[in-house]
Amino acid sequence: MSLQSASPSSLALRLKTETAPLHEKLDKLVMSLKPFDNRENYGRFVAAQYLFQRDIEPLYDDSAYAALIPDLATRPRLAAAQADLRDLGQAVPEAAEAPQGQGMALPEGLGWLYVSEGSKLGAAFLLKEAGQRLGLDENFGARNLAAPSDGRGAAWKRFVQALDGSGLSAGEQDRVVAGAGAAFERFAVLLARSYDLKGEPSLA
């Protein structure tokens, strides 16, 4: 199921539509950093991924999120990103701040999870690039890009169903969208730090 096939009242469809400009700018930022030119450059991408996954790790242990997303415990990628850094011989980055998701209210946190889960779809292309250009795969160096055990499409469909069946009010849905926007911006900042870019970019 794609977001395009969701119902007109779908929260997932609203998220896709309203965050599309941010998503497009983030994709362009990622590719401008040339993560597949060499393993060192790719390692910087994985470091940003690790820190983003660290940000949302607390959400996976929150019973409120698990009640909405039954298979939530199968979805984290923090351990995968950490293993990839080890494969690449790169130190695990230290964060100077508490995870962003710590104590985050449910509507906003769903937006962050939307960004993480949606990135698994685009990761199919990234995994192919990592394999062809860097000799990495889902067992070495590119675990964080691997497909869920039952496939990207099936895992995404279940997540969309959970979002659309969440029963959130209009105001709460606004907060989900705001959370997704904040998550896109956060990943851009983490990339900028990992690649030592001057300043911290805004996707706005």
Short mmCIF file of all heavy atoms in Angstrom, two decimals, residues 126-149:
data_model
loop_
_atom_site.label_atom_id
_atom_site.label_comp_id
_atom_site.label_asym_id
_atom_site.label_seq_id
_atom_site.Cartn_x
_atom_site.Cartn_y
_atom_site.Cartn_z
N LEU A 126 19.21 3.24 -1.39
CA LEU A 126 20.48 3.46 -0.70
C LEU A 126 21.23 2.14 -0.50
O LEU A 126 22.46 2.09 -0.65
CB LEU A 126 20.25 4.14 0.65
CG LEU A 126 19.55 5.51 0.61
CD1 LEU A 126 19.41 6.07 2.01
CD2 LEU A 126 20.30 6.49 -0.29
N LEU A 127 20.50 1.09 -0.18
CA LEU A 127 21.12 -0.22 0.01
C LEU A 127 21.74 -0.71 -1.29
O LEU A 127 22.86 -1.27 -1.30
CB LEU A 127 20.09 -1.23 0.52
CG LEU A 127 20.59 -2.65 0.76
CD1 LEU A 127 21.67 -2.68 1.84
CD2 LEU A 127 19.41 -3.55 1.17
N LYS A 128 21.06 -0.48 -2.39
CA LYS A 128 21.59 -0.88 -3.70
C LYS A 128 22.88 -0.12 -4.00
O LYS A 128 23.88 -0.71 -4.46
CB LYS A 128 20.55 -0.61 -4.78
CG LYS A 128 20.98 -1.05 -6.18
CD LYS A 128 19.87 -0.81 -7.18
CE LYS A 128 20.30 -1.23 -8.58
NZ LYS A 128 19.22 -0.97 -9.58
N GLU A 129 22.88 1.18 -3.72
CA GLU A 129 24.08 1.99 -3.94
C GLU A 129 25.23 1.51 -3.05
O GLU A 129 26.38 1.42 -3.50
CB GLU A 129 23.78 3.46 -3.64
CG GLU A 129 22.89 4.14 -4.67
CD GLU A 129 23.61 4.34 -5.99
OE1 GLU A 129 24.53 5.16 -6.04
OE2 GLU A 129 23.25 3.66 -6.97
N ALA A 130 24.93 1.22 -1.79
CA ALA A 130 25.96 0.76 -0.86
C ALA A 130 26.56 -0.56 -1.33
O ALA A 130 27.77 -0.80 -1.17
CB ALA A 130 25.37 0.60 0.53
N GLY A 131 25.73 -1.40 -1.93
CA GLY A 131 26.23 -2.68 -2.42
C GLY A 131 27.08 -2.54 -3.67
O GLY A 131 28.19 -3.07 -3.74
N GLN A 132 26.56 -1.79 -4.63
CA GLN A 132 27.26 -1.67 -5.91
C GLN A 132 28.54 -0.84 -5.81
O GLN A 132 29.53 -1.15 -6.47
CB GLN A 132 26.32 -1.04 -6.94
CG GLN A 132 25.15 -1.93 -7.33
CD GLN A 132 24.23 -1.28 -8.35
OE1 GLN A 132 24.29 -0.07 -8.58
NE2 GLN A 132 23.38 -2.07 -8.98
N ARG A 133 28.55 0.18 -4.98
CA ARG A 133 29.67 1.12 -4.95
C ARG A 133 30.65 0.89 -3.80
O ARG A 133 31.81 1.27 -3.90
CB ARG A 133 29.13 2.55 -4.93
CG ARG A 133 28.27 2.85 -6.16
CD ARG A 133 27.67 4.23 -6.12
NE ARG A 133 28.69 5.28 -6.10
CZ ARG A 133 28.43 6.59 -6.07
NH1 ARG A 133 27.17 7.00 -6.04
NH2 ARG A 133 29.40 7.47 -6.05
N LEU A 134 30.14 0.27 -2.72
CA LEU A 134 31.00 0.12 -1.54
C LEU A 134 31.16 -1.32 -1.08
O LEU A 134 31.92 -1.59 -0.15
CB LEU A 134 30.44 0.96 -0.38
CG LEU A 134 30.30 2.47 -0.64
CD1 LEU A 134 29.61 3.14 0.53
CD2 LEU A 134 31.67 3.10 -0.89
N GLY A 135 30.45 -2.25 -1.73
CA GLY A 135 30.57 -3.66 -1.35
C GLY A 135 29.96 -3.98 -0.01
O GLY A 135 30.37 -4.94 0.67
N LEU A 136 28.95 -3.22 0.41
CA LEU A 136 28.29 -3.44 1.69
C LEU A 136 26.93 -4.07 1.46
O LEU A 136 26.35 -3.99 0.37
CB LEU A 136 28.12 -2.11 2.42
CG LEU A 136 29.41 -1.30 2.64
CD1 LEU A 136 29.08 0.06 3.24
CD2 LEU A 136 30.39 -2.06 3.53
N ASP A 137 26.39 -4.72 2.51
CA ASP A 137 25.06 -5.31 2.40
C ASP A 137 24.40 -5.36 3.77
O ASP A 137 24.93 -4.82 4.75
CB ASP A 137 25.12 -6.71 1.77
CG ASP A 137 25.99 -7.69 2.56
OD1 ASP A 137 26.10 -7.54 3.79
OD2 ASP A 137 26.55 -8.61 1.94
N GLU A 138 23.23 -6.01 3.83
CA GLU A 138 22.45 -6.02 5.07
C GLU A 138 23.09 -6.86 6.17
O GLU A 138 22.62 -6.88 7.30
CB GLU A 138 21.02 -6.50 4.82
CG GLU A 138 20.89 -7.83 4.11
CD GLU A 138 20.87 -7.66 2.60
OE1 GLU A 138 19.79 -7.46 2.03
OE2 GLU A 138 21.97 -7.77 1.98
N ASN A 139 24.19 -7.53 5.85
CA ASN A 139 24.92 -8.30 6.85
C ASN A 139 26.24 -7.66 7.25
O ASN A 139 26.89 -8.10 8.21
CB ASN A 139 25.20 -9.71 6.32
CG ASN A 139 23.92 -10.49 6.05
OD1 ASN A 139 23.06 -10.59 6.92
ND2 ASN A 139 23.80 -11.02 4.84
N PHE A 140 26.63 -6.63 6.53
CA PHE A 140 27.89 -5.95 6.83
C PHE A 140 27.84 -4.51 6.35
O PHE A 140 27.76 -4.25 5.15
CB PHE A 140 29.08 -6.66 6.17
CG PHE A 140 30.42 -6.08 6.55
CD1 PHE A 140 31.12 -6.56 7.64
CD2 PHE A 140 30.98 -5.04 5.81
CE1 PHE A 140 32.35 -6.01 8.01
CE2 PHE A 140 32.21 -4.49 6.16
CZ PHE A 140 32.89 -4.98 7.27
N GLY A 141 27.85 -3.59 7.29
CA GLY A 141 27.97 -2.18 6.95
C GLY A 141 26.70 -1.46 6.55
O GLY A 141 26.64 -0.24 6.62
N ALA A 142 25.69 -2.19 6.11
CA ALA A 142 24.45 -1.55 5.66
C ALA A 142 23.23 -2.17 6.32
O ALA A 142 22.14 -2.19 5.73
CB ALA A 142 24.34 -1.61 4.14
N ARG A 143 23.40 -2.64 7.53
CA ARG A 143 22.26 -3.22 8.26
C ARG A 143 21.15 -2.19 8.46
O ARG A 143 19.96 -2.53 8.46
CB ARG A 143 22.72 -3.74 9.62
CG ARG A 143 23.68 -4.92 9.58
CD ARG A 143 24.12 -5.25 11.00
NE ARG A 143 25.00 -6.41 11.07
CZ ARG A 143 26.32 -6.35 10.93
NH1 ARG A 143 26.88 -5.18 10.68
NH2 ARG A 143 27.06 -7.43 11.02
N ASN A 144 21.55 -0.94 8.67
CA ASN A 144 20.54 0.09 8.95
C ASN A 144 19.65 0.38 7.74
O ASN A 144 18.61 1.01 7.88
CB ASN A 144 21.22 1.37 9.43
CG ASN A 144 21.85 2.18 8.32
OD1 ASN A 144 21.27 3.15 7.82
ND2 ASN A 144 23.07 1.82 7.90
N LEU A 145 20.05 -0.11 6.58
CA LEU A 145 19.28 0.09 5.35
C LEU A 145 18.48 -1.14 4.94
O LEU A 145 17.77 -1.12 3.94
CB LEU A 145 20.22 0.48 4.20
CG LEU A 145 21.08 1.73 4.42
CD1 LEU A 145 22.05 1.89 3.26
CD2 LEU A 145 20.23 2.97 4.61
N ALA A 146 18.60 -2.21 5.71
CA ALA A 146 17.98 -3.48 5.34
C ALA A 146 16.46 -3.39 5.40
O ALA A 146 15.88 -2.61 6.14
CB ALA A 146 18.47 -4.58 6.28
N ALA A 147 15.82 -4.24 4.61
CA ALA A 147 14.36 -4.31 4.61
C ALA A 147 13.87 -5.07 5.84
O ALA A 147 14.56 -5.95 6.35
CB ALA A 147 13.87 -5.03 3.34
N PRO A 148 12.69 -4.73 6.35
CA PRO A 148 12.09 -5.53 7.42
C PRO A 148 11.95 -6.98 6.98
O PRO A 148 11.94 -7.28 5.77
CB PRO A 148 10.72 -4.88 7.61
CG PRO A 148 10.91 -3.46 7.15
CD PRO A 148 11.88 -3.57 5.99
N SER A 149 11.83 -7.89 7.92
CA SER A 149 11.86 -9.32 7.61
C SER A 149 10.77 -9.74 6.62
O SER A 149 10.98 -10.65 5.82
CB SER A 149 11.73 -10.14 8.90
OG SER A 149 10.52 -9.82 9.58
#
